[in-house]
Amino acid sequence: MQQSLFSQGQAPINPPKKLVSRENLNQAQYEAVTAGDGPVLVIAGAGSGKTRTLVYRMAYLLERGVAPENILLLTFTRKSAQEMLHRAGQLMNDYSQRVLGGTFHAVANLLLRRHGHHLGYSSNFTILDQSDSEGIINLIKSSLELGGAGKRFPTKRVIINIIGKAVNKAMPFAELLEQQYLHLYEYLPDLERIRNHYQKFKFEHGLMDYDDLLVNLKTVLHDFPAVRDEVAARFTNILVDEYQDTNPVQADIVRLMAHGHNNVMVVGDDSQSIYSFRGADFRNIMEFPQIFPGTRVITLEENYRSSQEILTVTNSIIEQATEKYSKKLFSNIAGGAKPVVFGARNETEQARFITDKIIEINQSGVPLAEIAVLFRSGFHSYKLELELTNHRIDFDKRGGLKLTESAHIKDVLSYLRVISNPYDNLAWNRMLLLLDKVGPKTVQNILAKIKDSTDPFAVLEAYPAAKSWAAGFNKLVDLLKTLRENELTPSGYYETALDYYQGIFERIYHDDYPRRSRDLDQLREIISGYDNLQSFIDDTALDPPQPAAESASALANSDKLILSTIHSAKGLEWDTVFVIHLTEGKFPSSQAFLPEEREEERRLLYVAATRARNRLFFTFPREIMSQDRKMTIGGISPFLAEIPAGMVKTTVLPGSMVRQDFTARPIIADRGAKSSDPSSFLAGTGVRHPFFGEGKVEKVIGPRTVEVFFPRHGRKTLHLDYAKLERLK
């Protein structure tokens, strides 16, 4: 976070001289930057300079005399906020340092430390990460005797995902289960019991998960008008980046924080809304003008990233969207080749084509780090990975554990967490189980006494330890006493805890502790940059640091090809981009049944294509593996088939038996010819679906939409143009 909400008595600084001018911005950017008070929606097309627009908007507000403390910048990553505030500081000689900038969760954390007492939370609550939450769910499942060996019951990860999705989508728990987890609907009563116990457990132990940060902030702002008025008076100008990625709770927070003034500028691109699986709601950006009457809508269309040849194709992809803000990206960047479409015979031929092209492009002078292969799902790259390895081409596949998700890092953090919050039950549980010869039953007995005490550390010191584990237990008591009674820097706390933990570390992870030690060294470097222990603990949960090998600087200095899911590639760009596996049933996914799901798949392809600066390749294998593990012939993705002839170039591998004739005319892949006549699928009709199997139409709910019940998969809403339904005789 850029600053503390609690800082007081800062000396006034003279506002900067006039920096915002037409020479620094294009016409649309200038219009957005200099928009007056009231709500403003900036539709920023890919590569159109949205960051520049937000930075200059901050400069404009400061030039007008708005105090930096009255400006709030909300982003989705800490890196984005830091970059914008840094750039603003370069423009204004650090006058912008008092602007509060950070993620929704980080800002919620700061506000709740000040106002959470209205909900019964102390200011030193602990933030849970995903694995912490899953651990609590496991404890609750065991205490309620749900699941366990030989019992069919949803896993802890599935349960926490369901709970989180209901919160982020602002949906009733039962409704979400019926819509998206129908196969688990029989467990509804037990899942509701777990959810209720989970909420109670967190409250009793001063814990909040990521979702609680948002929900509790919304609750405080909604239920306590004095808090809402104080926050709205503090932040008289609110800027929001990537607004298309907000969920319903975040949209409500923005509305409540702007209460009384509505000075909100949100910047986003409806065409890049691709995170519904995380709870993001496409409706937020589409309905912003209705939520904030009098909204001024400004569209940024000049692209500073890609050649016009690429933009012509990306415009065509998104032009087919059923609902959108109209825009047509254009570029003044000279050069660039037409995007290439390659239809391979199978995945092996697709991998060979991509590898050969990568070698060719790299030899022409383009670094491997400037080439990316993007795909919808991680497994789509497996064959390619083998081919690249055979050719000794180094690549980096984006993903993997974050540093603070590693077990040994969570061990060390548990000692620091209880110093910050003595009632952090999960941290106590973890550190006590690390003791040799101490089991879960003993730990539960200790935790029961801690929970009911006014001084958990005194309870621990007085606990009668058995002889078999007394020595290790007493060392832990001494460690906590040292940490509590000495005023240490965050690095001091860490080094003290690490000295104690080293023996435990080598005992538990004896097979690979030398490798894991590098992570502990990396955390030492990270914590040395903090002067406040609570801030460090908050950041490890809110914005976990990456291991050194995966850090941005390390990746920037290595010349490796990038393999990435499209979701992980959003916001990035490369000279050359390959988008692979563009076969119907794979992209869009065969499981995207509803029209809105297919529309998000279209936006996903648009995001992938707009990552390219100079070269863009679309590839697809014609032979694909079906759900029943059989090879079938697949058609070109309908999204590619809709691109008009002449906008793309086709190519073949030497010796390929595949005839590349699909660009001679727009080929619309067979999107369910067997289900093209709605009159054939009346209620009661028996049907077969390629994935769900046999079922029966229960009702017709639209001109081309039916509701079908499948015995093995439950009730599904299917669009006849896409579902490939076959009527049973």
Side-chain angles (χ1 to χ4, degrees):
M1 292 298 297
Q2 183 70 6
Q3 66 170 54
S4 168
L5 282 177
F6 311 112
S7 51
Q8 300 287 336
Q10 296 167 312
I13 301 177
N14 294 325
K17 296 178 181 178
K18 184 173 174 63
L19 294 167
V20 177
S21 67
R22 293 182 184 276
E23 288 73 35
N24 299 324
L25 305 158
N26 66 36
Q27 178 57 39
Q29 290 172 340
Y30 184 80
E31 184 182 350
V33 165
T34 59
D37 291 339
V40 181
L41 170 59
V42 180
I43 301 298
S48 63
K50 71 176 180 64
T51 299
R52 184 179 185 82
T53 302
L54 280 168
V55 168
Y56 273 86
R57 175 64 174 178
M58 276 189 275
Y60 178 74
L61 291 172
L62 294 170
E63 286 176 2
R64 288 179 59 203
V66 176
E69 296 88 352
N70 296 139
I71 300 173
L72 173 64
L73 171 66
L74 291 169
T75 64
F76 277 84
T77 67
R78 182 170 59 174
K79 181 182 176 182
S80 295
Q82 289 173 336
E83 179 189 351
M84 290 187 207
L85 292 169
H86 174 70
R87 287 172 60 174
Q90 289 179 316
L91 280 177
M92 294 167 275
N93 298 323
D94 295 331
Y95 182 68
S96 64
Q97 281 189 348
R98 294 189 197 165
V99 172
L100 183 69
T103 64
F104 275 89
H105 292 88
V107 170
N109 172 49
L110 283 178
L111 289 171
L112 287 170
R113 300 241 177 240
R114 182 176 182 115
H115 300 293
H117 63 90
H118 291 287
L119 303 179
Y121 281 92
S122 66
S123 62
N124 66 337
F125 61 82
T126 296
I127 302 169
L128 303 172
D129 65 15
Q130 174 86 6
S131 59
D132 291 333
S133 297
E134 290 176 7
I136 295 173
I137 293 297
N138 241 7
L139 290 173
I140 294 170
K141 280 175 64 177
S142 298
S143 67
L144 297 177
E145 298 184 350
L146 299 170
K151 295 182 180 179
R152 269 187 79 239
F153 199 78
T155 64
K156 60 184 180 182
R157 177 156 294 183
V158 169
I159 294 170
I160 205 67
N161 285 344
I162 294 172
I163 293 171
K165 193 170 284 190
V167 171
N168 285 299
K169 288 184 173 292
M171 287 178 65
F173 195 74
E175 183 179 330
L176 176 79
L177 209 63
E178 183 176 14
Q179 283 191 15
Q180 299 187 25
Y181 300 89
L182 193 60
H183 59 295
L184 301 178
Y185 198 78
E186 63 182 291
Y187 302 113
L188 175 61
D190 289 333
L191 290 174
E192 286 183 325
R193 286 174 65 205
I194 291 174
R195 180 198 58 179
N196 294 339
H197 279 269
Y198 176 58
Q199 301 294 6
K200 183 180 178 183
F201 182 97
K202 288 184 294 181
F203 182 76
E204 289 179 346
H205 295 94
L207 308 171
M208 291 192 202
D209 60 25
Y210 294 161
D211 299 328
D212 293 326
L213 291 171
L214 299 182
V215 171
N216 288 338
L217 176 58
K218 175 188 170 182
T219 301
V220 166
L221 293 172
H222 182 274
D223 293 355
F224 298 90
V227 175
R228 182 175 66 240
D229 292 342
E230 178 185 332
V231 172
R234 166 67 192 271
F235 302 118
T236 59
N237 285 270
I238 300 172
L239 307 175
V240 187
D241 188 26
E242 303 284 14
Y243 191 73
Q244 78 281 347
D245 294 336
T246 55
N247 63 34
V249 181
Q250 289 164 326
D252 284 341
I253 287 171
V254 172
R255 177 178 54 80
L256 290 164
M257 293 177 83
H259 176 73
H261 59 71
N262 284 353
N263 292 329
V264 180
M265 174 179 282
V266 301
V267 180
D269 184 3
D270 55 297
S271 299
Q272 297 187 67
S273 178
I274 60 172
Y275 293 114
S276 65
F277 68 94
R278 293 183 188 168
D281 193 338
F282 177 72
R283 305 301 329 155
N284 287 347
I285 194 166
M286 299 308 297
E287 295 174 359
F288 185 85
Q290 287 74 53
I291 296 169
F292 290 91
T295 292
R296 184 175 177 183
V297 181
I298 301 168
T299 306
L300 307 184
E301 296 177 295
E302 183 170 358
N303 177 283
Y304 294 92
R305 175 189 300 153
S306 307
S307 68
Q308 188 59 52
E309 295 279 15
I310 289 173
L311 295 181
T312 298
V313 170
T314 59
N315 285 337
S316 175
I317 291 170
I318 207 63
E319 188 178 358
Q320 305 297 325
T322 57
E323 187 176 8
K324 61 186 179 297
Y325 286 100
S326 295
K327 59 183 173 296
K328 199 158 191 173
L329 299 184
F330 66 92
S331 172
N332 292 314
I333 298 174
K338 277 187 180 180
V340 172
V341 177
F342 174 73
R345 180 166 53 85
N346 51 32
E347 287 188 61
T348 300
E349 189 172 82
Q350 176 182 246
R352 182 157 62 97
F353 169 79
I354 294 169
T355 302
D356 290 346
K357 277 294 176 186
I358 288 169
I359 294 172
E360 176 189 324
I361 293 167
N362 180 235
Q363 290 176 345
S364 74
V366 178
L368 284 176
E370 276 292 338
I371 305 172
V373 181
L374 307 182
F375 31 83
R376 191 196 175 284
S377 302
F379 64 87
H380 287 169
S381 69
Y382 289 167
K383 281 282 175 65
L384 176 61
E385 290 172 42
L386 294 175
E387 188 74 15
L388 293 169
T389 301
N390 289 338
H391 284 78
R392 297 183 179 180
I393 297 175
D394 286 340
F395 61 86
D396 175 66
K397 188 171 182 180
R398 298 294 165 88
L401 281 177
K402 291 184 172 66
L403 181 65
T404 49
E405 291 174 347
S406 304
H408 49 295
I409 297 296
K410 293 179 75 66
D411 290 346
V412 179
L413 290 177
S414 66
Y415 303 111
L416 307 185
R417 281 172 51 166
V418 296
I419 298 303
S420 175
N421 176 8
Y423 293 95
D424 186 340
N425 184 279
L426 212 61
W428 279 115
N429 184 72
R430 188 175 195 97
M431 74 168 66
L432 290 169
L433 284 174
L434 291 172
L435 295 172
D436 194 20
K437 296 184 174 61
V438 172
K441 188 172 181 181
T442 299
V443 171
Q444 290 306 312
N445 290 336
I446 297 173
L447 293 181
K449 292 183 178 297
I450 286 175
K451 176 185 173 183
D452 298 328
S453 74
T454 56
D455 186 349
F457 298 104
V459 167
L460 189 74
E461 195 169 345
Y463 193 85
K467 286 185 179 180
S468 60
W469 48 272
F473 180 79
N474 290 333
K475 285 183 180 179
L476 174 61
V477 170
D478 291 342
L479 167 72
L480 296 176
K481 191 172 183 179
T482 300
L483 293 175
R484 289 176 62 227
E485 294 181 355
N486 293 280
E487 291 188 10
L488 303 172
T489 64
S491 291
Y493 283 116
Y494 181 73
E495 294 297 343
T496 304
L498 197 59
D499 286 344
Y500 162 83
Y501 176 68
Q502 190 64 39
I504 297 173
F505 173 59
E506 294 179 12
R507 169 173 57 84
I508 294 177
Y509 305 105
H510 58 90
D511 288 338
D512 65 345
Y513 75 84
R515 178 185 63 81
R516 291 174 182 260
S517 293
R518 292 195 292 269
D519 292 340
L520 296 172
D521 292 339
Q522 176 67 13
L523 195 63
R524 176 185 284 112
E525 292 181 24
I526 293 169
I527 198 171
S528 66
Y530 286 82
D531 55 15
N532 178 276
L533 182 62
Q534 185 67 60
S535 297
F536 167 73
I537 292 171
D538 288 348
D539 281 354
T540 60
L542 289 167
D543 195 2
Q546 296 283 357
E550 295 182 11
S551 68
S553 59
L555 291 173
N557 293 326
S558 64
D559 189 25
K560 291 184 179 181
L561 174 74
I562 302 300
L563 306 185
S564 175
T565 63
I566 300 169
H567 288 100
S568 297
K570 186 174 176 291
L572 303 176
E573 60 182 74
W574 294 271
D575 174 89
T576 302
V577 170
F578 294 82
V579 189
I580 69 173
H581 243 75
L582 286 161
T583 304
E584 186 183 15
K586 300 296 183 182
F587 203 144
S589 167
S590 60
Q591 298 186 48
F593 307 113
L594 300 176
E596 58 266 27
E597 293 172 336
R598 287 184 67 86
E599 285 301 296
E600 180 157 326
E601 296 275 307
R602 182 191 304 282
R603 297 194 294 269
L604 196 61
L605 178 59
Y606 175 81
V607 167
T610 53
R611 302 307 95 199
R613 292 198 295 267
N614 294 309
R615 299 178 185 86
L616 176 61
F617 294 84
F618 299 112
T619 72
F620 68 97
R622 292 178 181 272
E623 290 181 5
I624 58 173
M625 189 77 73
S626 64
Q627 296 287 345
D628 56 1
R629 309 291 297 170
K630 294 179 181 177
M631 294 304 297
T632 61
I633 301 300
I636 185 175
S637 165
F639 300 149
L640 279 189
E642 290 168 347
I643 298 173
M647 286 188 184
V648 294
K649 176 185 175 183
T650 63
T651 189
V652 295
L653 273 179
S656 174
M657 300 300 292
V658 177
R659 185 183 173 200
Q660 304 286 337
D661 62 352
F662 50 84
T663 55
R665 64 191 189 287
I667 290 185
I668 305 299
D670 177 11
R671 292 185 287 184
K674 295 177 182 177
S675 57
S676 60
D677 182 7
S679 64
S680 301
F681 296 91
L682 302 177
T685 304
V687 295
R688 179 183 291 112
H689 185 273
F691 176 73
F692 295 128
E694 294 186 2
K696 182 179 288 188
V697 177
E698 291 196 335
K699 60 182 176 180
V700 178
I701 58 177
R704 307 190 65 77
T705 307
V706 295
E707 191 172 89
V708 183
F709 180 77
F710 298 95
R712 292 183 61 189
H713 296 275
R715 191 174 289 102
K716 301 293 179 183
T717 302
L718 304 176
H719 195 288
L720 294 177
D721 285 344
Y722 308 128
K724 287 190 175 179
L725 280 184
E726 179 182 354
R727 181 176 177 176
L728 297 178
K729 294 181 181 179

